[in-house]
Every structure is written in C-alpha cells, then in structure tokens.
Amino acid sequence: MDFSIFLIIGLLISGLLAVWPTLTSVLVSIVYWFIVLLWSLNLFNPFAFNTIPWVNLLNISINYQIDGLARLFALLISGIGILVLFYAYIYTNMETYKRAKLLSLLQLFAISMLGIVVADDMIMLFLCWELTTITSYLLIQFKVQSESANQAASNSLFVTIIGSLAMLAGLILLENKSASWSIASTINQLTTQVSSPQCITAFSLILLAIITKSAQFPFYFWLPGAMKAPTPVSAYLHSATMVNAGIYLLARLHPLFGQLSIWYPLLTFFGLSTMAISSVLCLVQKDLKALLAYTTTFALGAMVYLLGSDQPLAIEAFAIFFLFHGIYKAAAFMLVGTLDKEYHTRELDKLSGVGRTNFLLAFVLIIILGSMAGLPPFFGFTVKEMIYEAKLATPTISYFIVGISLLSSMLIAAICFRCGWFLFKAAKKTHIKVKILKFGLLCPAILAGVILILSFFEESLQDLVQPSIAAIVPATKVIYVNPNVGSSYLLSLTTVLGGAFLSLLFILIKKLPTSVPDLLNPRLLFENSLNYLLLFGKQLTRFTQEQSLTIQLKIATASIVIFLLLTMIVTQWYKLIHYQVFSVNVTNLPLFILLILVAVSLLSSYKFLYNLISLSLLGLATGFFFMVNGAVDLAMTQLLVEVLTIIVILIALHKFRLINIYNKSSISLLNIAIAIGIGLYTTLMLLLVKATPFNPELQQYYIKNSLLLAYGKNVVNVILVDFRSLDTFGEAIVIIATAIGIWLLTHKSLLSIRKKHVRHS
C-alpha cells in the first residue's frame, strides 16, 4: 500500500471517531496504529513510499525519508498512541459529543505527528507541524467553559505559532540556498556551505521553532499551563509526542547544523537552563500533573543538551532516554488521571496513603517513581548513567555544566522520593479507600511492565536504537555503556543518594513554597506583556483612527513616505540613479507650465470648491500629457477617473453647506512636507526605473507569442486580456468598486427625491 493512502485512511478514521465514538471505532484506530508499530519495529513492511508531485511549479512534492530516526519516533507515536486511545475511551465518562471530539482530535494529532517524522519535503513537514499546533490548541481548550483552559490554550498557540513562522522562514532560506525542498538533499548539498550567513540565519530561525515547540527556556511556561487539558491529552501530546516534534527536528538537522561552532554552546545553554529552572520549579508544585509537566521540561532540556554533542555516546544516550522517557512519563500521566477520577483531586498532600490501598497501584507507583528518580535496579538508573557518561565524553567538558546537571537530577530524584513518601505513608482515617479502579490501571500497568522488562534486558535496546543513531551521526557504531563502572556510575549513585538526602530534608521542613513570585513567573510575565501590547494597540488605534478622515490620511501617507524613503536610504537605491538633464519637448512645455500653475494654486487657495476645480485641471492636464506622448490607454483611464471623481464629489456636495467647507487659512507645513516627500520618492523611483537597463526579451516574447499562444493580432489587447489578465482583472474590480460606491452614495438621495415627488404628486 502506498503510504500516502495509509495516511489518508488515518484521517478518515479520525472522521469515523468524530461521528461514531464507539468501542468498535476505537478498535479500528488501535489496529491502524498496531500496523504502524509493527512497521516501526521492522516486523511488517506493507508500505510503498512513492513520491507524489504536488506543486510542480515550485518543485514541491510529497516524499518520505524513512530511516532509523523516523522509525524510532514512529515507534513511540504508535506504541503510546494505542494505549492512550484505549485509555481515553475508558477515561471519558462524558457526553457522546465530547468523547467524539477527544478521540477524533487525538487520532488527527497522531496522524500529523506521524507525518512530521516521515516527511522529507519541507512543506509537508511544515504543514504537519502546524496541524499538531492546531490540534493541540483544540485539545488544551477541550473544556471551553474554563477560562484558565482557554488562557493556557492561547498561550500555547501564540508561543508555538511564533516558532512556526520562524521555521517557515528558515526552511525557505534553506530551499533558496539548496534549490530543493527535500531535507535529505538539502543536508547533502549544504554540508560544505553550512557556515554561510544564509545557513546560519536559517539555523537561528529553526532553532527558535524548536525551543518554542519543545518548551525550552524561556518558552517552557506554556507546557505546565497545557495541563488544563484532559489527562489522555497530557499523556500523549505533552509528554510523549508533540513536545518531541522539536526534538525530532533537532535530531533530523543534526548532520547539517551540528557542524556549526555555535551549535554546542547554544544547545547546552538552552538545555541546561531548562533543566535547572524546571527542577527548581518542581519543588513548589502540589498538583501532580503540574509536577509531571515540569519533569517533562527537565527531560526535554536533557535531550536538547545531549543533541548538542556530536559524540556517538551522547546520541546513544539521547535515543535511549527519548524512548524510555516517553514510556514512563505516559504511564505516570495516565496513573495520575486514574487517581484524579477516583479521588477528584491531584493534590499530593490529599492523596497521602493511596499506595497502601491497592497492590497493583503500589506496583505501578514504585516502578514509575523509581524509573523517574533513576533508582537501581530499574532501567532509569542505567539511563542516568548513560547520560552522565555522554556528558563526561564531551570534548569541551566543564565541571560547571556537570555540576548543574547533577544538582538538577538530584532535585528531580528528591521530588520523586517525596511523592513516594506521601503516596505510601500511613493513610488518614478520612481517606476513601481505592476501589478496584476498573480498567484505569490497565494501561499504566502495561507500561510499567515494559519498564520492568527493559530493566532486565537492557542490552536489547542496542539493536533498536542503532539505526536512529546512524541517522543522526552517520558512519558510527554504537558503543553500549557498560553499567556499574567508572565515573558515570558514581555520579548516578550520587544522584540517588543526594536525592534521598534532599527529599528527607524537604519532608522535615514540611512547609515548602507553594507558588512562584509574580516577578519570577514566566507565564505571568508573558501574559502581562501581551496585555500591555494590546493596550498599546488600543491607544495607537485611538490616536490614528478616532480622528477626522483628513488626519487619518495624513498619518497614513506620512508613514508610507517615511518608510519608503528610509528603505531607499538603507538599501542605497539612490546610488543606482544616473542623474542627467532631460531635454523637454516643445509640445509638453505648455502642459508642464499648466501643471506647475495648478499645483501652486492648490497651495495658495483655501476654498474647497476652488481646490476641487484645481485638482480637476491637474488631472485633465496629466491626461493630456499622456495622450500627447502616445499613452492613449493611460489618458483614457486618467480622464475616466477624473470625471467619475468629480461626479461623485458633486453628488455628495448637495448634502453639505459649502459655506462650512473651508481649509485653514494658513498653508499647512505638514501637508507641504508630505507632498514634497511623495513627489521626491516618486521622482527618484522614476529615475531609478529609467536607469535600469531595458531588457527587450519580454517585448519580443509578447510580439512572437501573441498570435501563437493567445490567438490575437493586437499585441496590446493580448497583453491586457491574456498575459496580464490578473492586472486587468484588478482594474476591473476597482471600477466595479467605484460603481458600487457611487450607487451607495446616490441610492439614498434618489430614493428620498422619489419619495418627495410621490408625496407632492
């Protein structure tokens, strides 16, 4: 089957879930993603990845890049997606239309995410990227009655849209440099030119998209706010998939931009800053979903930092940590959702003792918290060791960097131990005992079992991640870290012991801060900045638009003139102009004199009717100038516009008393300055056009092809109607709009005259 058809089938399944949100539809979706899961594991290969032409004129096509990196991300999308879809079905004890909305949007998001990881065409990648943004916004705003959910969705949309626009500009720059929309082709062609200013600019723009999408400093604040979404959304979008879209793009472009000297410093800065801030902010969280959100930003920061290196050990640590993080974080979110449904709270201190009430719940809690904290013998300890080994293997190792990483990891471990202490300490008598929890624990238990299997079969991941490592760092062979030896092992033990000590300290202190000061809260700073921006816009609108029409025209015209003149000065267009004295035709001399006299009369007069007559003379003289110099079509257009303008103004004048229509008696210096600016710019542009060498190829093309292509002998007519039909169409729209305006002005007047006539008769 062609993979494009398979993607379309996925979209149809999303529609099926929207109109028929039953268990049968969910099972159809699960089968769909199970096929993707088998394909990602290379156990089943039913797809043909054919290139489909899309926009031939721009060389845009639908094509795919299938390698180990694409399969690794597809594995997480499909594997977690299967459990999340089933969990969403049993989780959503709500109206049918709400369940339909949730399931269909989850399916649509998963399809768009799959499109990102398999796309080779940049435009296809961008469109799928934007589709994840839109679906994420709709899912965060799922509870439309909640003001906080709407605000969180708006923050998410605004931040990620900024990054999306930057990414589009960066992709266009890459295409302009490589003459190809293919990611693989662009990487191959620009490998030796990556240090060019255009490539560095493209990297900066794409990096902005990555740090906004993957919630990196300083844009990390939108992810904790996105926890207003239902738990299945948090388990899938904001821990296992959507936030990893930026990570995927970073890994995909690693072979190209990894050669830049600014690659490692920038990614190290963003990654470590996010890790440090997230680990500190975790301390003040009581809501378990918010706490998990900050641990997610911490993990994303670690991935960004690891991808900053070009060492195979770092890339191996990234690939394994990426997969492992998606598993335990999805399990953690689904477990929190189950507790929330049972106890109607996510507050940590209100859930004390729940781990003692159910054996399966205790089993899942121990595995998830132990994996997140990096506690031996769970696989999380080995992953933590691999990360430290990768950091120590970096050529530009800094004890400061390792120290920040170690301290941040200690705080995360301490928070996990603290959660475990609360959840397993002696329950209060007022606690309601956990019921069977039905199917709520099934999905977290399955993922906990996967974690347990990985803990005993660690080396089995080597073959799984090897193709993805080769896609990021080509021509390398993975060297699996031998656990329980060396400095990395000591650092992992230090993390666990330090986390245990800090958790004991936090428990003894008992009262920790429960909020961040407003001045240090990035979400409030962002929202306040938007509010001030809107306030500035309102004040600017009041200043520019709540004025008379004359003042609005002055402001608009002056702004345009200043912008155009500054553009000409900055770009130094004026240096291209060849200044010379032009000979004046004797036939044109009277018209020039008439134009000058009329212009002077406009400046010296302050009566409206007199100025109207002068403007008419100015337009008529311009039309005669066109006619004398052979531009008959321009002359006809000019005369038509002048006649229509006079008719419209005269029709409108009968509603006003001319005695009240006067300009100021003194000549406005602002008007003179604006007029001189427009005249100066127009003159310079005409001189620039005249100085530009004339290329006769276009003229010859029209002459040769008017009869052959358009079947017309009149070249001018063919140009207007066929070759430049859009220009003619635009001019026709202007005439139609003018006619509509005249009709609107005259209709009411003619109607009132008719009523008076009927009344008198």
Side-chain angles (χ1 to χ4, degrees):
M1 177 187 293
D2 190 272
F3 194 75
S4 300
I5 298 176
F6 186 75
L7 290 178
I8 294 173
I9 293 174
L11 295 176
L12 294 177
I13 292 175
S14 176
L16 176 66
L17 290 169
V19 298
W20 196 28
T22 61
L23 181 60
T24 304
S25 301
V26 174
L27 291 176
V28 170
S29 178
I30 289 174
V31 170
Y32 180 90
W33 290 110
F34 188 71
I35 294 173
V36 178
L37 178 65
L38 295 178
W39 168 79
S40 62
L41 292 171
N42 217 8
L43 299 175
F44 182 55
N45 194 13
F47 304 124
F49 297 92
N50 300 316
T51 299
I52 301 175
W54 189 6
V55 185
N56 293 328
L57 187 62
L58 299 177
N59 197 27
I60 299 175
S61 59
I62 299 176
N63 54 337
Y64 305 97
Q65 184 174 5
I66 307 302
D67 55 10
L69 184 63
R71 290 180 184 272
L72 178 67
F73 276 78
L75 172 64
L76 195 65
I77 293 168
S78 57
I80 302 298
I82 290 172
L83 295 176
V84 166
L85 282 167
F86 179 73
Y87 179 79
Y89 180 79
I90 63 176
Y91 176 87
T92 51
N93 185 17
M94 56 181 67
E95 296 89 340
T96 303
Y97 79 93
K98 289 185 177 180
R99 174 178 288 180
K101 177 182 176 181
L102 179 61
L103 293 174
S104 61
L105 285 176
L106 282 172
Q107 171 73 13
L108 182 60
F109 172 83
I111 290 294
S112 57
M113 191 66 198
L114 181 62
I116 288 177
V117 302
V118 299
D120 183 51
D121 186 84
M122 298 182 195
I123 297 299
M124 178 182 174
L125 183 145
F126 174 76
L127 292 177
C128 293
W129 183 285
E130 284 301 276
L131 190 56
T132 61
T133 300
I134 295 170
T135 50
S136 172
Y137 169 78
L138 295 174
L139 285 166
I140 297 171
Q141 198 196 25
F142 187 79
K143 300 175 182 177
V144 292
Q145 298 84 3
S146 172
E147 184 178 349
S148 59
N150 290 328
Q151 183 63 53
S154 299
N155 290 347
S156 167
L157 182 67
F158 192 87
V159 170
T160 51
I161 283 292
I162 291 174
S164 299
L165 294 175
M167 184 179 77
L168 179 61
L171 295 178
I172 291 174
L173 286 176
L174 289 180
E175 191 278 336
N176 183 261
K177 186 72 173 176
S178 64
S180 173
W181 288 109
S182 168
I183 297 175
S185 176
T186 298
I187 292 175
N188 292 332
Q189 292 184 42
L190 299 184
T191 302
T192 58
Q193 308 175 51
V194 69
S195 298
S196 64
Q198 193 167 346
C199 287
I200 293 176
T201 304
F203 164 68
S204 303
L205 293 169
I206 294 173
L207 182 61
L208 177 60
I210 290 169
I211 64 176
T212 53
K213 194 77 165 181
S214 293
Q216 296 298 289
F217 173 83
F219 301 104
Y220 61 89
F221 59 87
W222 72 262
L223 182 59
M227 295 304 127
K228 301 296 181 182
T231 298
V233 177
S234 302
Y236 195 46
L237 274 71
H238 306 126
S239 64
T241 51
M242 177 187 168
V243 289
N244 286 325
I247 302 298
Y248 166 79
L249 189 58
L250 198 64
R252 175 60 70 194
L253 297 177
H254 188 285
L256 176 63
F257 293 129
Q259 306 173 58
L260 291 172
S261 58
I262 59 174
W263 172 269
Y264 176 75
L266 281 178
L267 296 192
T268 299
F269 169 75
F270 287 119
L272 285 181
S273 299
T274 306
M275 290 172 64
I277 294 174
S278 300
S279 60
V280 172
L281 290 178
C282 271
L283 296 175
V284 299
Q285 306 303 320
K286 286 189 174 181
D287 188 305
L288 285 176
K289 280 185 71 174
L291 189 148
L292 290 177
Y294 281 110
T295 61
T296 300
T297 57
F298 169 86
L300 293 170
M303 294 181 203
V304 169
Y305 171 73
L306 290 172
L307 283 172
S309 174
D310 59 352
Q311 299 296 311
L313 279 177
I315 304 304
E316 179 192 3
F318 154 74
I320 293 180
F321 180 58
F322 162 77
L323 192 61
F324 184 67
H325 169 262
I327 294 172
Y328 77 70
K329 192 56 63 69
F333 271 110
M334 286 189 279
L335 181 60
V336 170
T338 302
L339 294 176
D340 187 20
K341 294 290 285 186
E342 177 63 29
Y343 288 106
H344 308 289
T345 182
R346 299 192 302 263
E347 298 292 329
L348 183 60
D349 53 354
K350 295 179 181 179
L351 292 172
S352 60
V354 296
R356 292 170 171 260
T357 58
N358 185 289
F359 174 77
L360 183 59
L361 175 62
F363 170 77
V364 175
L365 277 173
I366 291 172
I367 292 178
I368 291 175
L369 292 175
S371 299
M372 195 183 306
L375 188 68
F378 298 112
F379 187 56
F381 182 81
T382 303
V383 173
K384 192 81 67 178
E385 185 181 350
M386 293 179 66
I387 294 175
Y388 283 128
E389 183 71 21
K391 292 174 181 178
L392 294 174
T394 304
T396 54
I397 182 174
S398 168
Y399 292 107
F400 175 73
I401 293 175
V402 175
I404 292 178
S405 178
L406 179 63
L407 183 58
S408 302
S409 299
M410 280 184 183
L411 289 175
I412 295 296
I415 292 162
C416 294
F417 292 144
R418 180 169 173 261
C419 289
W421 183 82
F422 267 102
L423 295 173
F424 283 99
K425 74 175 184 177
K428 297 179 181 179
K429 295 181 180 180
T430 56
H431 250 306
I432 302 174
K433 290 189 176 182
V434 179
K435 299 177 182 178
I436 302 176
L437 294 178
K438 299 180 180 179
F439 294 103
L441 282 177
L442 179 60
C443 295
I446 292 174
L447 291 175
V450 173
I451 295 172
L452 202 59
I453 293 172
L454 291 176
S455 300
F456 291 102
F457 300 96
E458 299 172 355
E459 296 187 7
S460 62
L461 282 178
Q462 181 175 359
D463 295 333
L464 186 62
V465 301
Q466 170 61 41
S468 62
I469 299 170
I472 301 173
V473 185
T476 59
K477 184 177 180 180
V478 66
I479 304 173
Y480 190 78
V481 175
N482 185 20
N484 306 333
V485 294
S487 302
S488 59
Y489 175 70
L490 294 178
L491 288 174
S492 297
L493 280 180
T494 304
T495 300
V496 173
L497 295 176
F501 173 76
L502 289 176
S503 66
L504 180 61
L505 188 63
F506 296 153
I507 292 170
L508 293 176
I509 293 175
K510 293 185 178 180
K511 291 186 177 181
L512 289 174
T514 57
S515 62
V516 180
D518 291 348
L519 292 176
L520 300 178
N521 191 326
R523 180 184 59 80
L524 290 179
L525 293 176
F526 175 76
E527 292 176 359
N528 291 335
S529 300
L530 286 183
N531 292 333
Y532 285 125
L533 183 62
L534 292 174
L535 181 62
F536 172 75
K538 290 179 181 179
Q539 296 298 330
L540 184 63
T541 302
R542 184 177 302 170
F543 172 73
T544 57
Q545 297 186 17
E546 293 184 5
Q547 307 290 342
S548 65
L549 183 60
T550 305
I551 296 178
Q552 289 187 41
L553 288 174
K554 287 180 182 180
I555 294 173
T557 310
S559 302
I560 293 172
V561 169
I562 293 172
F563 174 76
L564 293 175
L565 289 175
L566 286 177
T567 302
M568 180 172 285
I569 293 172
V570 171
T571 56
Q572 299 183 348
W573 287 354
Y574 58 87
K575 292 185 178 180
L576 302 176
I577 299 174
H578 302 297
Y579 300 96
Q580 57 182 343
V581 179
F582 297 99
S583 59
V584 180
N585 193 343
V586 179
T587 311
N588 295 329
L589 189 58
L591 293 175
F592 287 157
I593 295 174
L594 177 61
L595 289 170
I596 293 173
L597 291 176
V598 172
V600 172
S601 68
L602 280 171
L603 293 175
S604 60
S605 171
Y606 56 89
K607 291 187 176 181
F608 179 83
L609 193 57
Y610 190 86
N611 288 346
L612 180 61
I613 295 172
S614 299
L615 280 174
S616 302
L617 289 174
L618 190 65
L620 291 173
T622 305
F624 284 124
F625 172 77
F626 291 148
M627 186 175 295
V628 169
N629 289 276
V632 181
D633 54 341
L634 291 178
M636 294 296 295
T637 304
Q638 180 71 27
L639 293 175
L640 179 62
V641 171
E642 289 299 327
V643 172
L644 285 174
T645 304
I646 294 299
I647 292 174
V648 172
I649 293 177
L650 289 176
I651 291 173
L653 279 179
H654 81 280
K655 285 290 184 182
F656 302 95
R657 296 179 62 190
L658 290 181
I659 192 172
N660 294 328
I661 304 179
Y662 285 94
N663 287 331
K664 294 181 180 179
S665 58
S666 60
I667 299 175
S668 174
L669 296 178
L670 178 61
N671 294 346
I672 295 175
I674 294 174
I676 292 175
I678 293 175
L680 177 62
Y681 178 78
T682 306
T683 303
L684 292 175
M685 286 302 297
L686 290 174
L687 292 174
L688 180 61
V689 170
K690 188 172 179 62
T692 304
F694 177 72
N695 188 353
E697 293 182 6
L698 186 61
Q699 180 184 15
Q700 295 300 322
Y701 174 83
Y702 287 146
I703 294 173
K704 290 179 181 179
N705 294 286
S706 292
L707 183 59
L708 294 176
L709 299 179
Y711 307 103
K713 295 182 179 180
N714 189 318
V715 179
V716 176
N717 288 347
V718 169
I719 292 173
L720 292 175
V721 177
D722 293 285
F723 291 117
R724 300 183 61 183
S725 57
L726 288 178
D727 292 348
T728 307
F729 180 69
E731 294 172 1
I733 289 176
V734 171
I735 295 175
I736 293 172
T738 305
I740 293 173
I742 295 172
W743 181 81
L744 291 173
L745 286 172
T746 58
H747 177 68
K748 191 173 182 179
S749 300
L750 294 175
L751 193 62
S752 60
I753 293 172
R754 188 181 303 167
K755 288 181 180 179
K756 289 180 181 179
H757 178 71
V758 172
R759 192 181 302 116
H760 288 305
S761 61

PDB file of all heavy atoms in Angstrom, residues 91-103:
ATOM      1  N   TYR A  91     -11.542   6.477  29.951  1.00  0.00           N
ATOM      2  CA  TYR A  91     -11.381   7.627  30.849  1.00  0.00           C
ATOM      3  C   TYR A  91     -12.544   8.601  30.697  1.00  0.00           C
ATOM      4  O   TYR A  91     -12.980   9.220  31.657  1.00  0.00           O
ATOM      5  CB  TYR A  91     -10.055   8.321  30.547  1.00  0.00           C
ATOM      6  CG  TYR A  91      -9.801   9.587  31.325  1.00  0.00           C
ATOM      7  CD1 TYR A  91      -9.203   9.544  32.584  1.00  0.00           C
ATOM      8  CD2 TYR A  91     -10.143  10.829  30.810  1.00  0.00           C
ATOM      9  CE1 TYR A  91      -8.960  10.698  33.298  1.00  0.00           C
ATOM     10  CE2 TYR A  91      -9.903  11.997  31.511  1.00  0.00           C
ATOM     11  CZ  TYR A  91      -9.318  11.931  32.763  1.00  0.00           C
ATOM     12  OH  TYR A  91      -9.086  13.079  33.466  1.00  0.00           O
ATOM     13  N   THR A  92     -13.031   8.738  29.456  1.00  0.00           N
ATOM     14  CA  THR A  92     -14.005   9.783  29.158  1.00  0.00           C
ATOM     15  C   THR A  92     -15.411   9.318  29.502  1.00  0.00           C
ATOM     16  O   THR A  92     -16.146   8.822  28.668  1.00  0.00           O
ATOM     17  CB  THR A  92     -13.951  10.157  27.668  1.00  0.00           C
ATOM     18  OG1 THR A  92     -14.044   8.945  26.893  1.00  0.00           O
ATOM     19  CG2 THR A  92     -12.664  10.851  27.331  1.00  0.00           C
ATOM     20  N   ASN A  93     -15.769   9.484  30.750  1.00  0.00           N
ATOM     21  CA  ASN A  93     -17.139   9.204  31.184  1.00  0.00           C
ATOM     22  C   ASN A  93     -17.937  10.493  31.023  1.00  0.00           C
ATOM     23  O   ASN A  93     -18.239  11.201  31.974  1.00  0.00           O
ATOM     24  CB  ASN A  93     -17.137   8.736  32.641  1.00  0.00           C
ATOM     25  CG  ASN A  93     -18.526   8.329  33.095  1.00  0.00           C
ATOM     26  OD1 ASN A  93     -19.406   8.094  32.268  1.00  0.00           O
ATOM     27  ND2 ASN A  93     -18.720   8.280  34.404  1.00  0.00           N
ATOM     28  N   MET A  94     -18.253  10.809  29.748  1.00  0.00           N
ATOM     29  CA  MET A  94     -18.837  12.104  29.439  1.00  0.00           C
ATOM     30  C   MET A  94     -19.837  11.944  28.302  1.00  0.00           C
ATOM     31  O   MET A  94     -20.098  10.852  27.811  1.00  0.00           O
ATOM     32  CB  MET A  94     -17.744  13.104  29.057  1.00  0.00           C
ATOM     33  CG  MET A  94     -16.870  12.634  27.901  1.00  0.00           C
ATOM     34  SD  MET A  94     -15.556  13.799  27.457  1.00  0.00           S
ATOM     35  CE  MET A  94     -14.525  13.742  28.904  1.00  0.00           C
ATOM     36  N   GLU A  95     -20.384  13.090  27.865  1.00  0.00           N
ATOM     37  CA  GLU A  95     -21.338  13.066  26.772  1.00  0.00           C
ATOM     38  C   GLU A  95     -20.687  12.525  25.506  1.00  0.00           C
ATOM     39  O   GLU A  95     -19.473  12.625  25.310  1.00  0.00           O
ATOM     40  CB  GLU A  95     -21.900  14.464  26.520  1.00  0.00           C
ATOM     41  CG  GLU A  95     -22.706  15.031  27.685  1.00  0.00           C
ATOM     42  CD  GLU A  95     -21.845  15.782  28.666  1.00  0.00           C
ATOM     43  OE1 GLU A  95     -20.614  15.552  28.667  1.00  0.00           O
ATOM     44  OE2 GLU A  95     -22.393  16.589  29.435  1.00  0.00           O
ATOM     45  N   THR A  96     -21.533  12.016  24.613  1.00  0.00           N
ATOM     46  CA  THR A  96     -21.026  11.378  23.394  1.00  0.00           C
ATOM     47  C   THR A  96     -20.244  12.353  22.536  1.00  0.00           C
ATOM     48  O   THR A  96     -19.177  12.021  22.009  1.00  0.00           O
ATOM     49  CB  THR A  96     -22.194  10.786  22.586  1.00  0.00           C
ATOM     50  OG1 THR A  96     -22.908   9.865  23.400  1.00  0.00           O
ATOM     51  CG2 THR A  96     -21.684  10.070  21.345  1.00  0.00           C
ATOM     52  N   TYR A  97     -20.742  13.577  22.405  1.00  0.00           N
ATOM     53  CA  TYR A  97     -20.053  14.526  21.518  1.00  0.00           C
ATOM     54  C   TYR A  97     -18.692  14.928  22.067  1.00  0.00           C
ATOM     55  O   TYR A  97     -17.746  15.173  21.307  1.00  0.00           O
ATOM     56  CB  TYR A  97     -20.933  15.750  21.278  1.00  0.00           C
ATOM     57  CG  TYR A  97     -20.953  16.769  22.395  1.00  0.00           C
ATOM     58  CD1 TYR A  97     -20.085  17.859  22.391  1.00  0.00           C
ATOM     59  CD2 TYR A  97     -21.835  16.647  23.458  1.00  0.00           C
ATOM     60  CE1 TYR A  97     -20.097  18.790  23.412  1.00  0.00           C
ATOM     61  CE2 TYR A  97     -21.859  17.574  24.480  1.00  0.00           C
ATOM     62  CZ  TYR A  97     -20.995  18.650  24.452  1.00  0.00           C
ATOM     63  OH  TYR A  97     -21.009  19.571  25.465  1.00  0.00           O
ATOM     64  N   LYS A  98     -18.560  14.968  23.403  1.00  0.00           N
ATOM     65  CA  LYS A  98     -17.255  15.288  23.987  1.00  0.00           C
ATOM     66  C   LYS A  98     -16.272  14.135  23.776  1.00  0.00           C
ATOM     67  O   LYS A  98     -15.097  14.357  23.475  1.00  0.00           O
ATOM     68  CB  LYS A  98     -17.400  15.593  25.475  1.00  0.00           C
ATOM     69  CG  LYS A  98     -18.081  16.919  25.767  1.00  0.00           C
ATOM     70  CD  LYS A  98     -18.070  17.218  27.255  1.00  0.00           C
ATOM     71  CE  LYS A  98     -18.695  18.571  27.548  1.00  0.00           C
ATOM     72  NZ  LYS A  98     -18.690  18.886  28.993  1.00  0.00           N
ATOM     73  N   ARG A  99     -16.757  12.922  23.935  1.00  0.00           N
ATOM     74  CA  ARG A  99     -15.898  11.764  23.682  1.00  0.00           C
ATOM     75  C   ARG A  99     -15.478  11.737  22.216  1.00  0.00           C
ATOM     76  O   ARG A  99     -14.317  11.454  21.894  1.00  0.00           O
ATOM     77  CB  ARG A  99     -16.628  10.482  24.054  1.00  0.00           C
ATOM     78  CG  ARG A  99     -15.871   9.221  23.688  1.00  0.00           C
ATOM     79  CD  ARG A  99     -16.613   7.974  24.119  1.00  0.00           C
ATOM     80  NE  ARG A  99     -16.573   7.806  25.564  1.00  0.00           N
ATOM     81  CZ  ARG A  99     -17.151   6.798  26.206  1.00  0.00           C
ATOM     82  NH1 ARG A  99     -17.836   5.902  25.522  1.00  0.00           N
ATOM     83  NH2 ARG A  99     -17.065   6.692  27.514  1.00  0.00           N
ATOM     84  N   ALA A 100     -16.417  12.021  21.327  1.00  0.00           N
ATOM     85  CA  ALA A 100     -16.100  12.050  19.895  1.00  0.00           C
ATOM     86  C   ALA A 100     -15.045  13.106  19.592  1.00  0.00           C
ATOM     87  O   ALA A 100     -14.101  12.863  18.818  1.00  0.00           O
ATOM     88  CB  ALA A 100     -17.370  12.324  19.091  1.00  0.00           C
ATOM     89  N   LYS A 101     -15.176  14.276  20.205  1.00  0.00           N
ATOM     90  CA  LYS A 101     -14.205  15.344  19.982  1.00  0.00           C
ATOM     91  C   LYS A 101     -12.820  14.939  20.457  1.00  0.00           C
ATOM     92  O   LYS A 101     -11.816  15.134  19.748  1.00  0.00           O
ATOM     93  CB  LYS A 101     -14.669  16.615  20.705  1.00  0.00           C
ATOM     94  CG  LYS A 101     -13.707  17.780  20.611  1.00  0.00           C
ATOM     95  CD  LYS A 101     -14.224  18.980  21.399  1.00  0.00           C
ATOM     96  CE  LYS A 101     -13.218  20.128  21.381  1.00  0.00           C
ATOM     97  NZ  LYS A 101     -13.696  21.295  22.166  1.00  0.00           N
ATOM     98  N   LEU A 102     -12.754  14.349  21.659  1.00  0.00           N
ATOM     99  CA  LEU A 102     -11.461  13.962  22.222  1.00  0.00           C
ATOM    100  C   LEU A 102     -10.787  12.885  21.380  1.00  0.00           C
ATOM    101  O   LEU A 102      -9.612  13.008  21.008  1.00  0.00           O
ATOM    102  CB  LEU A 102     -11.655  13.472  23.655  1.00  0.00           C
ATOM    103  CG  LEU A 102     -10.393  12.996  24.388  1.00  0.00           C
ATOM    104  CD1 LEU A 102      -9.392  14.124  24.514  1.00  0.00           C
ATOM    105  CD2 LEU A 102     -10.747  12.433  25.754  1.00  0.00           C
ATOM    106  N   LEU A 103     -11.510  11.840  21.040  1.00  0.00           N
ATOM    107  CA  LEU A 103     -10.912  10.725  20.299  1.00  0.00           C
ATOM    108  C   LEU A 103     -10.511  11.128  18.892  1.00  0.00           C
ATOM    109  O   LEU A 103      -9.432  10.759  18.406  1.00  0.00           O
ATOM    110  CB  LEU A 103     -11.897   9.553  20.256  1.00  0.00           C
ATOM    111  CG  LEU A 103     -12.209   8.874  21.597  1.00  0.00           C
ATOM    112  CD1 LEU A 103     -13.309   7.844  21.426  1.00  0.00           C
ATOM    113  CD2 LEU A 103     -10.955   8.228  22.176  1.00  0.00           C
TER     114      LEU A 103
END
